[in-house]
Amino acid sequence: MIEPIGNQYIVARPVYSANAFGEEHKKKQRHRKTFLDHLKVCCSCSTQKAKKIALSLFPIASWLPAYRIKEWLLSDIVSGISTGLVAVLQGLAFALLVTVPPSYGLYAAFFPILVYFFLGTSKHISVGPFPVLSMMVGAVVVKVTPSDSTAALEISNSSMSNNSSTDEYKLMVAATVTVLSGIIQLLMGVLRFGFVVIYLSESLISGFTTAAAVHVLVSQLKFMLQLKVPAHTDPFSIFKVLNSVFTQIEDTNIADLVTSLIILLIVFVVKEINQRYKAKLPVPIPIELIMTVIATGVSYGFDFENRFKVAVVGEMNRGFQPPIAPDMQIFQETLGDSFGIAIVGFMVAFSVASVYSLKYDYPIDGNQELIALGLSNIFTGSFKGFAASTALSRSGVQESTGGKTQIAGILSAIIVLIVILALGFLLEPLQKSVLAALALGNLKGMLMQFTEIRRLWRKDKYDCLIWIMTFIFAIVLGLGLGLAASVAFQLLTIVFRTQFPKCSILANVGRSNIYKNKKDYSDMHEPEGVKIFRCPAPIYFANIQFFKQKLIDAVGFNPLQILHKRNRALKKIRKLQKKGLLQVTPKGFIYTSDGFKDSNDEMDNNEIEELDQPINTTDLPFQIDWNTDFPLNISVPKISLHSLILDFSAVSFLDISSMRGLKTILQEFIRINVDVYIVGSDDDFIEKLAQCEFFDDEVKDSIFFLTIHDAVLHIWMKKDYNASKFTPSQEKEMKFDFTIDTNGGLRNRECQVPVETKF
């Protein structure tokens, strides 16, 4: 019964152990669904289920009929035009990262949007090239593409014709990797593997994208300086690229360097203005478009290509290339890399989509996102594009310029289409160094994530460590191996967190039924003779010894050592009694010899094993109080603890190995007359222990209580009950007269009377 009184409440109920609660409140019999039951549900068919599946596979059928033309269309048009212009420039720039001709970057900016328009669940992300993903595809292209000296031989053995150029082979590799990563994403979506993104924490994503931004920065140096830098894809490749750049620094094309630095400076300044005054500006200043137009006009008007020997975009193919079939040989060589590209592409897209879904309060489906991205990449790769995800800056433009739905996305695709079909030739005089500078201008947000370290350090040291190690792995090992190593390290930190949990001693706060860490509050009251120990982590094979050591530190003694010393003392007392050196009188023991010397010889294995057994005093005519003083050299530590409460409310599971270790710990305490209670465990936890035959004559299932306060009240009632069984004279004798009375028979065993031997 609960009675509210103002802002307080009074609860009147019995003290519940787990068994008592189960007897009073019977559990319902629940049917546990088997695999066959789940299979029947999956295979069942109905009109409602078919409609639900259709709507989930084609989300456009849900949001397009509800489209508000008058309210949203104008905003989507403005957003689509702005995003399309940015998509054109980013497609050209990110193609340099893939090491393919820039014109093919337009395909990567066009085809994914068409598929995502029908299948995607996010209303705000702009699907297309992403620098990190382009960098990863480029690394695979460089690794698989043969060097100039062996290109002809390798190409002649492939499915391509002997007249194919290295650029065409690079296109084949990029397209094949894109198709394969799309197939992997599609399979993961069909098999409902969208949950894999939960293994990629925010700290890992931030550290990885920052490292990728550094890779992109280093890879663009050769275009900004117009140097011939050989490609490297193995670990430590970033340092090899830097070494190549600095050894050729004297060959820098000054015109490219000056142009790129000016572009970079202006882009950074204007982007800062856009960020600072975004509330006052109707739309962000399209600085990338402005600088592209100016740079193209200047390069064409002053003939930079011939006068200063700068590298330009060159011929832009009008229209679309015919689709191609992926190369099965490349499939086999790039399977591992494609898997990493698929995961990173989905990870980035889902992370950005989640931000906007929370901001505008609509759901997104991870599995459907995998299907949408997978089909987008398959479609894009078939038309010689490269892997797509979403760029943070481009999605930011689409959202900040008023985009409401993917109508803005399809309009941005139309802008890219116009450039592909009609206006591409206008960009032919554009310097590649300008594209490199524009690509770096979009990395500002990613590079600024270095500031995350300070924030993470204040909040969580482990998250900060994950960020730092992810960054180091991705820089040193490369993006593919770096991601794998980062995920492995992140999982390892979870093991560390659970292997070394922050255990604590609890005490009563303000003499209420609330128990907190005794170090955190001043008004704390620890029950006399009772220790309350809390373990805030699962107990398993890796941390059971740590748990035991923390428990020993908390109580202040090792129960096994106490047990050994008591059994040794008991053995000596039996020797004295058998030799007749202890005489029992009405006033106690009289020690009758001064010449007795106990043997300290080493014990054999059988005797050592006996020390671990429960203390047995049935052959003695008295009950021993182990907290008294003993004669001769018998030394037994005194302990004031009579009850130990283990708070397992945060213990989610217990494996078989730790179960044995836990039982051993409980037995050691029970054998030295310390009652042990476990509180906060759920019913499944107790049922699992019962199934594994955890309980016996020593460790009983009656040790479980619902709450800490139930256990404490039970201990108090038990203590009061034992005390009430003695007469006042017996209680006085327990406290002050440490003798054994043999005239009137042996004293009741439930009265713990100490033994004192007089010399």
Side-chain angles (χ1 to χ4, degrees):
M1 178 178 178
I2 302 177
E3 296 184 7
I5 304 177
N7 65 343
Q8 300 181 348
Y9 64 88
I10 299 175
V11 179
R13 66 167 178 82
V15 174
Y16 279 128
S17 66
N19 289 343
F21 184 83
E23 292 174 0
E24 184 171 336
H25 303 277
K26 299 298 181 182
K27 292 180 63 176
K28 294 190 299 184
Q29 293 295 327
R30 292 188 299 164
H31 173 66
R32 305 278 184 179
K33 286 189 176 182
T34 62
F35 175 76
L36 187 59
D37 294 330
H38 289 289
L39 191 61
K40 288 180 180 178
V41 173
C42 292
C43 296
S44 63
C45 186
S46 65
T47 306
Q48 183 100 14
K49 187 174 181 180
K51 182 179 179 182
K52 183 179 179 181
I53 292 174
L55 290 177
S56 65
L57 287 176
F58 296 95
I60 188 175
S62 299
W63 62 264
L64 190 58
Y67 188 81
R68 304 174 189 173
I69 297 178
K70 293 182 180 180
E71 298 178 32
W72 294 349
L73 183 58
L74 181 60
S75 297
D76 279 341
I77 290 175
V78 174
S79 175
I81 295 173
S82 303
T83 308
L85 295 173
V86 175
V88 169
L89 301 175
Q90 289 189 350
L92 295 173
F94 298 155
L96 298 180
L97 299 175
V98 188
T99 68
V100 297
S103 59
Y104 291 92
L106 297 178
Y107 300 160
F110 174 73
F111 288 110
I113 300 175
L114 301 181
V115 178
Y116 193 85
F117 176 74
F118 294 98
L119 302 179
T121 60
S122 175
K123 299 177 183 179
H124 293 88
I125 66 172
S126 175
V127 184
F130 177 59
V132 174
L133 214 59
S134 301
M135 184 76 189
M136 296 180 72
V137 175
V140 180
V141 170
V142 171
K143 181 176 69 174
V144 176
T145 302
S147 60
D148 294 339
S149 60
T150 59
L153 177 62
E154 292 291 333
I155 293 172
S156 65
N157 293 332
S158 71
S159 61
M160 301 178 63
S161 66
N162 293 338
N163 297 326
S164 297
S165 65
T166 303
D167 281 346
E168 289 176 327
Y169 188 77
K170 289 181 177 180
L171 287 171
M172 173 62 78
V173 175
T176 301
V177 170
T178 299
V179 171
L180 182 54
S181 63
I183 293 173
I184 293 172
Q185 288 174 332
L186 180 61
L187 289 175
M188 291 175 65
V190 171
L191 297 175
R192 319 299 289 176
F193 276 8
F195 65 89
V196 297
V197 75
I198 65 177
Y199 294 106
L200 304 172
S201 67
E202 181 182 345
S203 303
L204 185 145
I205 295 173
S206 175
F208 182 79
T209 53
T210 306
V214 175
H215 274 284
V216 173
L217 173 62
V218 172
S219 68
Q220 295 299 310
L221 291 177
K222 65 180 179 180
F223 297 107
M224 296 175 64
L225 305 177
Q226 199 187 133
L227 300 175
K228 294 181 179 180
V229 178
H232 300 280
T233 59
D234 51 338
F236 304 99
S237 60
I238 191 172
F239 305 106
K240 296 177 182 178
V241 171
L242 287 172
N243 180 64
S244 298
V245 168
F246 287 116
T247 53
Q248 303 179 56
I249 198 71
E250 295 179 355
D251 300 328
T252 299
N253 186 300
I254 303 301
D256 271 325
L257 176 61
V258 172
T259 303
S260 57
L261 289 178
I262 292 173
I263 296 291
L264 202 57
L265 177 62
I266 295 175
V267 168
F268 276 165
V269 170
V270 176
K271 280 185 174 291
E272 185 65 28
I273 294 174
N274 284 339
Q275 179 66 27
R276 183 165 299 185
Y277 299 101
K278 62 181 179 181
K280 298 180 180 180
L281 293 172
V283 294
I285 301 172
I287 187 59
E288 291 95 343
L289 175 63
I290 295 172
M291 297 312 299
T292 301
V293 172
I294 295 174
T296 304
V298 171
S299 177
Y300 176 76
F302 290 95
D303 194 15
F304 276 12
E305 182 179 9
N306 294 320
R307 292 180 62 183
F308 301 110
K309 307 301 180 183
V310 299
V312 297
V313 170
E315 183 181 358
M316 295 281 290
N317 297 324
R318 291 192 181 185
F320 295 98
Q321 299 290 318
I324 59 172
D327 192 316
M328 298 307 297
Q329 173 85 23
I330 300 174
F331 258 32
Q332 299 175 12
E333 296 179 18
T334 61
L335 180 59
D337 298 296
S338 298
F339 186 80
I341 292 169
I343 294 295
V344 173
F346 169 59
M347 170 189 74
V348 174
F350 188 80
S351 300
V352 177
S354 299
V355 172
Y356 292 123
S357 70
L358 292 174
K359 183 176 181 179
Y360 293 99
D361 192 24
Y362 62 85
I364 58 172
D365 184 350
N367 295 308
Q368 182 61 25
E369 287 294 294
L370 275 169
I371 293 174
L373 291 172
L375 289 174
S376 297
N377 282 324
I378 292 173
F379 195 48
T380 302
S382 300
F383 284 89
K384 298 185 178 180
F386 48 85
S389 178
T390 181
L392 282 69
S393 58
R394 193 170 61 250
S395 296
V397 170
Q398 180 166 316
E399 186 265 344
S400 63
T401 52
K404 304 296 183 184
T405 65
Q406 282 300 327
I407 293 291
I410 206 69
L411 291 174
S412 69
I414 293 175
I415 300 298
V416 178
L417 178 64
I418 293 172
V419 176
I420 293 174
L421 296 178
L423 303 180
F425 72 95
L426 296 176
L427 297 173
E428 291 179 356
L430 182 63
Q431 296 170 242
K432 288 185 178 181
S433 59
V434 173
L435 292 178
L438 292 176
L440 295 182
N442 288 298
L443 299 179
K444 179 184 177 183
M446 298 166 63
L447 292 171
M448 288 300 291
Q449 292 182 102
F450 276 112
T451 58
E452 286 285 290
I453 298 177
R454 185 176 179 182
R455 181 182 67 85
L456 290 174
W457 182 260
R458 290 197 303 265
K459 291 186 175 181
D460 191 295
K461 304 298 188 295
Y462 276 107
D463 279 344
C464 184
L465 185 61
I466 291 172
W467 195 103
I468 294 172
M469 295 308 298
T470 300
F471 178 82
I472 293 174
F473 287 145
I475 289 292
V476 175
L477 301 178
L479 297 179
L481 289 176
L483 178 63
S486 301
V487 173
F489 179 80
Q490 178 181 247
L491 296 178
L492 192 61
T493 62
I494 298 175
V495 175
F496 286 152
R497 293 185 194 220
T498 56
Q499 187 174 357
F500 306 106
K502 294 182 179 180
C503 301
S504 56
I505 298 295
L506 307 185
N508 183 275
V509 182
R511 300 190 182 279
S512 64
N513 66 336
I514 300 173
Y515 293 83
K516 296 286 186 180
N517 190 332
K518 63 183 295 186
K519 297 179 180 179
D520 292 341
Y521 299 88
S522 56
D523 187 18
M524 305 296 287
H525 305 279
E526 192 171 7
E528 184 179 355
V530 179
K531 284 286 183 184
I532 306 170
F533 181 80
R534 184 175 188 270
C535 179
I539 301 176
Y540 59 106
F541 65 92
N543 70 355
I544 183 61
Q545 292 302 322
F546 180 83
F547 169 80
K548 180 177 181 180
Q549 186 58 50
K550 282 292 184 180
L551 183 57
I552 290 173
D553 294 341
V555 299
F557 60 85
N558 187 329
L560 186 60
Q561 292 178 358
I562 300 293
L563 181 62
H564 286 178
K565 291 182 179 181
R566 288 187 179 182
N567 272 321
R568 289 175 186 270
L570 187 60
K571 184 177 179 182
K572 293 179 181 180
I573 290 174
R574 286 197 179 101
K575 284 183 180 180
L576 291 173
Q577 186 186 20
K578 287 180 180 179
K579 292 179 178 292
L581 302 179
L582 285 179
Q583 182 179 354
V584 181
T585 68
K587 293 185 178 180
F589 284 129
I590 298 177
Y591 185 58
T592 59
S593 175
D594 294 331
F596 176 77
K597 292 185 179 179
D598 188 37
S599 174
N600 288 322
D601 295 339
E602 293 185 2
M603 295 180 292
D604 57 31
N605 291 334
N606 292 332
E607 290 177 314
I608 293 176
E609 291 178 1
E610 289 177 0
L611 297 180
D612 292 337
Q613 299 305 311
I615 296 173
N616 185 6
T617 59
T618 55
D619 60 328
L620 297 177
F622 46 79
Q623 184 75 18
I624 300 175
D625 181 357
W626 295 104
N627 285 331
T628 190
D629 294 326
F630 289 89
L632 297 177
N633 61 343
I634 300 176
S635 175
V636 179
K638 300 176 183 179
I639 61 173
S640 60
L641 186 70
H642 59 73
S643 300
L644 174 64
I645 300 175
L646 303 179
D647 180 8
F648 277 11
S649 57
V651 177
S652 55
F653 71 88
L654 193 74
D655 67 355
I656 299 297
S657 299
S658 61
M659 202 176 293
R660 297 192 188 98
L662 177 63
K663 184 172 182 177
T664 301
I665 295 170
L666 299 185
Q667 287 175 334
E668 291 172 1
F669 278 102
I670 292 171
R671 289 172 181 177
I672 61 172
N673 299 325
V674 175
D675 297 327
V676 183
Y677 304 93
I678 298 177
V679 302
S681 300
D682 58 24
D683 295 339
D684 293 337
F685 184 91
I686 301 174
E687 288 175 7
K688 181 180 179 181
L689 293 179
Q691 291 172 359
C692 296
E693 300 179 351
F694 183 82
F695 305 111
D696 55 21
D697 293 338
E698 282 186 285
V699 182
K700 302 178 181 179
D701 60 359
S702 59
I703 65 175
F704 291 93
F705 281 77
L706 297 189
T707 67
I708 297 175
H709 205 56
D710 282 309
V712 171
L713 293 178
H714 171 78
I715 293 169
W716 286 349
M717 289 188 296
K718 182 178 179 182
K719 185 178 179 182
D720 292 342
Y721 172 73
N722 286 337
S724 66
K725 296 176 71 174
F726 308 120
T727 64
S729 61
Q730 287 177 322
E731 292 180 2
K732 182 178 180 181
E733 187 174 5
M734 284 177 57
K735 188 171 183 181
F736 302 109
D737 187 6
F738 301 98
T739 61
I740 299 298
D741 184 2
T742 58
N743 290 338
L746 294 178
R747 191 182 299 280
N748 192 323
R749 279 196 169 277
E750 294 179 352
C751 178
Q752 305 293 317
V753 180
V755 175
E756 179 181 74
T757 304
K758 299 183 182 294
F759 297 95

